[in-house]
């Protein structure tokens, strides 16, 4: 029978996952909503967001849009969008959903209907121009589908959606070079539907399978009827320019510090301080039956444009497998040949000296002086054999010596296990389709729940590691574990939240939600950490090391340049970074560039994650083995830093991505990017550092168990 190493089993598991489906799907059927003919379909408005800035704004907070309904259906509550209840994930991602005044009646088309007429003053116009300049788009929602702009692929064979629609557009005059801003004030809404399945369909009910919004700018000089609707929507010559009368006042600088600066050229005709611009808002509604779209696949059109990257995902996986395979071969050589040969040589030396010891006891007195072939009178035992060993075997009495500041290492390992449990749960649930775009805010909400529940694992592993370091007070260790990492993350989020609050952005977390997070943290997670710590310390206990540390520590030799801590961490961190580099590019695009899209390749991400875990374990084992061969027994912290070393490269890559790929402007947006990137790298570093620590400990424990002194 062929035996596989743990690394080999990990790569085999990756291959099995690779052979399975890697496209995420979502579980349909549990929230299908059908509508009868003549039944009202609520249209919700959410927020405005841009790829050029990290600040989002609630749609009804914008000063140039129609105001919210006078009598909303108030639901209220701590997690509420004033009239639509929101979960914690929706709040944290900046959603502010409210019911609009737009009337949608199933199968009732409306050629044109007036929504409102908004009077904009100079400040309102300036704000609208700034947001149009930053390419903000609006998000409306119907039946949990975001309003989309429809596009056709270059070869005209596929249709796909881009979530959201633009607030307006800008044009430069070819003669004067001046920039003119136009606001979209008419919305053509297209609802795609099909017959409902089952008994609902037999009753004549329908389900929504598509929601498209096509905005248009219609100037004030266009002919309108008595209700304010444009008479001819198909032939619109001029858009509605954001410009007030020919009063010659000088336009002041933009008052919004976060918005991108407008062109410096001053217009010949500046807006008046007292005049206003009337913006008539109208909309049209059309229903189109579409039997080509299944309800369970209605989100696919949002992903069609991303499917072209599937081939790149496969190349990324092949690249990762090659790196993993090479590392596996190296580890097999170290374990199967080098370490095995060292252990075998030690045992042969010990057995030969043990036989000499027995010969000495049984030989006649005169034989002791007959030559070197007979062992002298010195007693020889296992300890003497170890003292004559070389390399890593010399460290048998120091390798398990408790590290300095072990009271910090244990809580970090515990927090790493907590994050590992959360990450594995999120990736599996997403790859299986339980967490999907139709579950708005579900990824963050479930992630918070998993993190809090995993406090049990955090306390358990932290307490066991702490006791292995000869720790005494597990209650103090549990307190540090429960407060250290979550406290650091909460402090960073709270500080940056103050800056976002000052911008009146919906990206800011409301005070009530912050209070809820603190309650979940202190009233639920902390007790779970204590429960896990009690069981880990009192019931399970610490890990028993195969060798005992002596009272006097061994003097360390001079280190080679590549084995020094910083160099080793950076060099070892390059390999895991190379494994995830391509997939990381897709994640960055979804997070920072294509905010209107969704990252859904969780099947690929699950495969790459398995390969990453195996790679980190192998890199850490190789690095620690080289360190032990250099007679350096300070490997506890080193294994943790080597495992998390790729986080440094990810942060460096993020800085490069910010400078050369993104077009983020403004201090607050830039600060948001780097603070959230730092938090993500800390989470990743803790998680991977824990994997490296546990892998190194298992390896070191295994090789020193083979030369255990009885």
């Amino acid at each position: 029978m062929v035996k596989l190493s743990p690394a080999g089993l990990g790569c085999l598991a990756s291959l099995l996952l690779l052979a399975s489906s890697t496209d995420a799907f979502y579980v349909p059927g549990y929230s299908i909503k059908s509508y009868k003919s003549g039944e009202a379909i609520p249209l919700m408005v959410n927020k405005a967001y841009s790829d050029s800035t990290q600040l989002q704004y609630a749609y009804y907070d914008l000063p140039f849009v129609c105001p919210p309904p006078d009598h909303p259906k108030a639901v209220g509550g701590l997690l509420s969008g004033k009239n639509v209840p929101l979960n914690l994930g929706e709040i944290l991602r900046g959603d502010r959903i409210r019911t609009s005044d737009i009337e949608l009646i199933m199968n009732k088309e409306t050629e044109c209907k007036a929504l409102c007429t908004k009077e904009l003053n100079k400040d309102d116009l300036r704000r609208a121009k700034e947001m149009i300049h930053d390419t903000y788009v609006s998000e409306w929602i119907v039946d949990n589908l975001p309003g989309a702009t429809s596009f056709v692929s270059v070869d005209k064979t596929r249709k796909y959606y881009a979530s959201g629609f633009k607030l307006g557009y800008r044009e430069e005059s070819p003669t004067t070079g001046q920039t003119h801003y136009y606001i979209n004030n008419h919305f053509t809404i297209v609802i795609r539907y099909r017959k409902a399945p089952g008994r609902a369909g037999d009753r004549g009910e329908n389900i929504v399978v598509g929601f498209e919004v096509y905005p248009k700018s219609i100037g004030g000089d266009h002919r309108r009827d008595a209700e304010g609707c444009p008479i001819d929507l198909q032939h619109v010559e001029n858009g509605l320019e954001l410009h007030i009368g020919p009063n010659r006042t000088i336009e002041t600088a933009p008052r919004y510090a976060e918005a991108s600066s407008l062109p410096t050229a001053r217009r010949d005709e500046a807006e008046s301080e007292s005049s206003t611009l009337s913006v008539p808002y109208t909309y049209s509604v059309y229903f189109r039956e579409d039997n080509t779209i299944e309800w369970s696949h209605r989100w696919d059109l949002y992903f069609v444009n991303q499917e072209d990257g599937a081939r790149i995902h496969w190349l990324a996986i092949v690249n990762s497998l090659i790196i993993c395979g090479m590392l596996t071969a190296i580890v097999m050589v170290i374990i199967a040949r080098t370490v095995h040969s060292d252990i075998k040589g030690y045992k042969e030396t010990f057995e030969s000296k043990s036989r000499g010891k027995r010969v000495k006891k049984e030989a006649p007195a005169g034989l002791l002086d007959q030559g070197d072939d007979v062992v002298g009178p010195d007693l020889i035992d296992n300890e003497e054999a170890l003292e004559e060993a070389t390399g890593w075997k010399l460290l048998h009495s120091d390798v398990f010596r408790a590290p300095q500041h072990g009271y910090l290492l244990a809580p970090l390992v515990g927090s790493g296990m907590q994050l590992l449990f959360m990450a594995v749960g999120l990736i599996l649930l997403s790859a299986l389709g339980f967490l999907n775009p139709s579950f708005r805010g579900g990824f963050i909400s479930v992630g918070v729940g998993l993190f809090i529940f995993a406090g049990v694992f955090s306390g358990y592993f932290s307490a066991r590691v702490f006791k292995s370091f000869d720790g005494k007070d597990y209650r103090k260790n549990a307190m540090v574990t429960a407060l250290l990492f979550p406290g650091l993350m909460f402090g960073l989020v709270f500080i940056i939240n103050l800056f976002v609050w000052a911008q009146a952005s919906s990206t800011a977390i409301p005070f009530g939600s912050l209070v809820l997070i603190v309650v979940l943290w202190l009233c639920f997670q902390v007790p779970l950490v204590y429960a896990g710590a009690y069981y880990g310390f009192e019931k399970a206990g610490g890990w028993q090391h195969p060798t005992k540390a002596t009272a006097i520590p061994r003097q360390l030799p001079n280190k080679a340049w590549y084995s020094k801590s910083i160099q080793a961490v950076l060099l070892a961190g390059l390999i895991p970074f190379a494994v995830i580099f391509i997939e990381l590019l897709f994640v960055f695009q979804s997070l920072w560039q294509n905010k209107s899209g969704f990252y859904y390749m969780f099947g690929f991400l699950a495969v790459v994650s398995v390969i990453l875990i195996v790679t980190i374990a192998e890199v850490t084992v190789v690095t620690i083995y080289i360190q032990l061969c250099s007679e350096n027994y300070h490997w506890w912290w080193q294994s943790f830093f080597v495992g998390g070393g790729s986080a440094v490269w990810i942060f460096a890559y993020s800085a490069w991505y910010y400078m050369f790929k993104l077009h983020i402007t403004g201090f607050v947006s830039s600060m948001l990017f780097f603070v959230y990137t730092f938090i993500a790298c800390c989470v990743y570093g803790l998680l991977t550092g824990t994997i490296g620590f546990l892998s190194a400990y298992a390896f070191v424990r295994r090789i020193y168990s083979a030369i255990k002194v009885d």
Side-chain angles (χ1 to χ4, degrees):
M1 177 181 291
V2 179
K3 295 184 178 180
L4 292 176
S5 67
L9 289 174
C11 282
L12 179 59
S14 300
L15 288 171
L16 292 176
L17 283 174
L18 182 62
S20 63
S21 173
T22 54
D23 288 330
F25 60 93
Y26 69 97
V27 178
Y30 59 86
S31 59
I32 295 180
K33 171 64 175 176
S34 59
Y35 301 91
K36 301 177 182 178
S37 294
E39 182 178 355
I41 305 175
L43 189 148
M44 311 291 182
V45 298
N46 188 6
K47 59 188 177 183
Y49 55 88
S50 170
D51 295 338
S52 301
T53 176
Q54 303 308 310
L55 296 179
Q56 307 171 103
Y57 296 95
Y59 184 81
Y60 277 144
D61 288 346
L62 302 180
F64 49 85
V65 303
C66 288
D70 294 332
H71 304 287
K73 298 178 181 178
V75 178
L78 183 62
L79 304 180
S80 175
K82 292 188 178 178
N83 64 321
V84 176
L86 303 178
N87 59 48
L88 182 60
E90 290 175 306
I91 291 289
L92 296 181
R93 69 194 294 263
D95 288 351
R96 302 294 184 266
I97 304 176
R98 299 186 65 179
T99 305
S100 75
D101 271 339
I102 296 177
E103 295 182 358
L104 299 181
I105 307 298
M106 175 58 73
N107 289 330
K108 181 182 178 181
E109 296 189 346
T110 304
E111 291 187 3
C112 182
K113 187 171 184 178
L115 189 59
C116 78
T117 298
K118 184 71 174 179
E119 298 293 331
L120 306 183
N121 58 29
K122 182 184 175 183
D123 290 336
D124 298 338
L125 258 66
R126 183 182 298 116
R127 179 55 186 253
K129 289 180 181 180
E130 291 168 352
M131 297 192 70
I132 292 173
H133 182 270
D134 285 340
T135 64
Y136 271 85
V137 298
S138 301
E139 181 180 282
W140 292 358
I141 302 169
V142 167
D143 196 47
N144 206 29
L145 283 176
T149 305
S150 176
F151 296 93
V152 179
S153 60
V154 177
D155 56 4
K156 298 183 179 180
T157 59
R158 291 181 298 174
K159 174 184 176 181
Y160 64 91
Y161 284 161
S163 181
F165 58 92
K166 292 184 177 180
L167 291 174
Y169 61 95
R170 57 179 177 164
E171 291 180 351
E172 288 190 4
S173 173
T175 57
T176 62
Q178 294 176 351
T179 302
H180 300 268
Y181 293 85
Y182 301 88
I183 191 168
N184 291 323
N185 59 332
H186 180 82
F187 312 102
T188 300
I189 300 170
V190 178
I191 304 296
R192 299 192 177 274
Y193 70 95
R194 64 175 297 160
K195 182 180 178 181
R199 295 181 178 179
D202 297 336
R203 294 192 299 265
E205 298 180 12
N206 300 305
I207 54 176
V208 176
V209 294
F211 173 35
E212 303 169 6
V213 181
Y214 301 95
K216 182 180 293 186
S217 181
I218 303 177
D221 57 350
H222 195 82
R223 290 189 306 160
R224 298 175 180 270
D225 59 20
E227 295 182 358
C229 284
I231 293 177
D232 188 0
L233 289 171
Q234 302 302 323
H235 301 88
V236 178
E237 296 181 358
N238 300 317
L240 181 59
E241 184 179 1
L242 294 174
H243 175 56
I244 299 178
N247 205 342
R248 295 183 178 274
T249 43
I250 302 300
E251 183 178 0
T252 58
R255 66 185 178 91
Y256 292 95
E258 178 53 26
S260 301
S261 60
L262 299 175
T264 56
R266 296 179 181 269
R267 305 189 58 171
D268 294 334
E269 295 179 350
E271 287 85 355
S272 171
E273 294 287 349
S274 58
S275 301
T276 61
L277 174 67
S278 295
V279 180
Y281 282 96
T282 55
Y283 66 94
S284 304
V285 180
Y286 298 95
F287 287 85
R288 296 291 182 266
E289 187 173 6
D290 193 339
N291 293 317
T292 63
I293 305 175
E294 295 288 344
W295 191 92
S296 59
H297 296 283
R298 61 179 186 164
W299 281 88
D300 291 358
L301 288 175
Y302 295 89
F303 303 142
V304 169
N305 196 35
Q306 302 180 32
E307 290 179 355
D308 296 335
R311 185 175 301 177
I312 302 177
H313 284 279
W314 287 108
L315 292 176
I317 291 177
V318 172
N319 169 71
S320 302
L321 283 174
I322 292 174
I323 296 175
C324 179
M326 294 176 62
L327 279 172
T328 301
I330 295 174
V331 172
M332 291 295 291
V333 169
I334 290 176
I335 295 177
R337 300 189 61 179
T338 307
V339 177
H340 181 71
S341 299
D342 287 348
I343 295 174
K344 183 178 180 181
Y346 156 72
K347 289 183 176 180
E348 290 177 351
T349 301
F350 169 69
E351 291 175 358
S352 63
K353 293 190 175 185
S354 296
R355 287 195 299 269
K357 180 180 178 180
R358 288 193 298 271
V359 170
K360 179 255 176 187
K361 288 182 178 180
E362 298 174 358
L367 292 179
L368 293 176
D369 301 324
Q370 291 183 1
D372 295 336
D373 293 337
V374 181
V375 178
D378 296 334
L379 296 178
I380 300 174
D381 56 12
N382 294 14
E383 291 288 351
E384 293 177 358
L386 284 172
E387 291 299 330
E388 295 183 10
T390 58
W392 60 270
K393 298 183 292 298
L394 290 173
L395 306 179
H396 68 96
S397 59
D398 295 284
V399 71
F400 292 106
R401 189 180 302 278
Q404 292 183 341
H405 310 297
Y407 58 89
L408 288 179
L409 181 57
L412 292 179
V413 172
S415 297
M417 290 301 299
Q418 185 177 11
L419 293 170
L420 180 62
F421 177 86
M422 180 193 71
V424 171
L426 285 176
I427 292 176
L428 286 179
L429 290 175
S430 299
L432 294 175
F434 292 99
L435 298 180
N436 53 80
S438 66
F439 184 8
R440 191 178 301 273
F443 192 87
I444 299 177
S445 298
V446 174
V448 171
L450 289 175
F451 181 81
I452 293 173
F453 173 75
V456 174
F457 299 96
S458 174
Y460 174 82
F461 282 95
S462 176
R464 294 202 67 180
V465 173
F466 181 69
K467 192 167 186 178
S468 300
F469 294 160
D470 300 324
K472 303 300 181 183
D473 188 357
Y474 81 91
R475 294 180 180 85
K476 182 178 179 180
N477 173 73
M479 178 61 70
V480 174
T481 304
L483 300 181
L484 179 61
F485 173 72
L488 174 63
M489 297 299 102
F490 182 82
L492 288 174
V493 171
F494 181 79
I495 291 173
I496 198 172
N497 210 49
L498 297 177
F499 290 89
V500 183
W501 266 335
Q503 299 294 325
S505 169
S506 66
T507 306
I509 304 174
F511 180 76
S513 299
L514 286 175
V515 172
L516 176 64
I517 293 174
V518 172
V519 170
L520 291 174
W521 173 24
L522 298 181
C523 298
F524 290 89
Q525 191 224 359
V526 172
L528 288 174
V529 171
Y530 266 90
Y534 170 78
Y535 187 84
F537 193 90
E538 298 290 348
K539 303 297 181 180
W543 286 291
Q544 298 299 318
H545 306 312
T547 60
K548 302 296 183 181
T550 58
I552 302 175
R554 184 183 184 86
Q555 185 176 1
L556 296 178
N558 294 328
K559 300 179 182 179
W561 70 270
Y562 56 83
S563 63
K564 294 181 180 179
S565 297
I566 297 179
Q567 290 89 324
V569 169
L570 293 178
L571 289 174
L574 265 176
I575 300 176
F577 176 72
V579 169
I580 63 172
F581 171 75
I582 299 178
E583 196 66 32
L584 191 66
L585 177 63
F586 285 91
V587 175
F588 272 39
Q589 288 177 347
S590 297
L591 287 177
W592 304 116
Q593 285 185 290
N594 301 327
K595 296 189 187 72
S596 60
F598 308 91
Y599 180 86
Y600 76 105
M601 295 289 190
F602 286 100
F604 286 111
L605 185 62
V607 177
V608 173
S609 298
V610 172
I611 300 174
L612 175 66
I613 291 174
V614 176
T615 302
I616 290 173
E618 293 173 340
V619 167
T620 308
V621 166
V622 173
T623 304
I624 296 304
Y625 175 75
I626 294 174
Q627 177 177 326
L628 294 178
C629 288
S630 302
E631 300 179 15
N632 181 2
Y633 56 86
H634 293 311
W635 63 273
W636 297 98
W637 278 104
Q638 185 75 349
S639 64
F640 186 85
F641 289 134
V642 167
S646 53
V648 178
W649 293 102
I650 293 177
F651 190 82
Y653 174 73
S654 301
W656 176 88
Y657 195 87
Y658 170 84
M659 291 186 291
F660 296 101
K661 294 295 183 180
L662 299 179
H663 304 286
I664 296 177
T665 56
F667 172 74
V668 176
S669 286
S670 299
M671 184 173 60
L672 276 172
F673 175 86
F674 282 106
V675 170
Y676 283 134
T677 299
F678 175 75
I679 291 175
C681 289
C682 287
V683 170
Y684 173 87
L686 270 179
L687 194 153
T688 54
T690 300
I691 294 173
F693 173 85
L694 296 177
S695 303
Y697 179 74
F699 172 74
V700 173
R701 182 184 177 89
R702 178 69 184 86
I703 63 175
Y704 282 95
S705 295
I707 59 172
K708 181 180 179 181
V709 180
D710 297 325

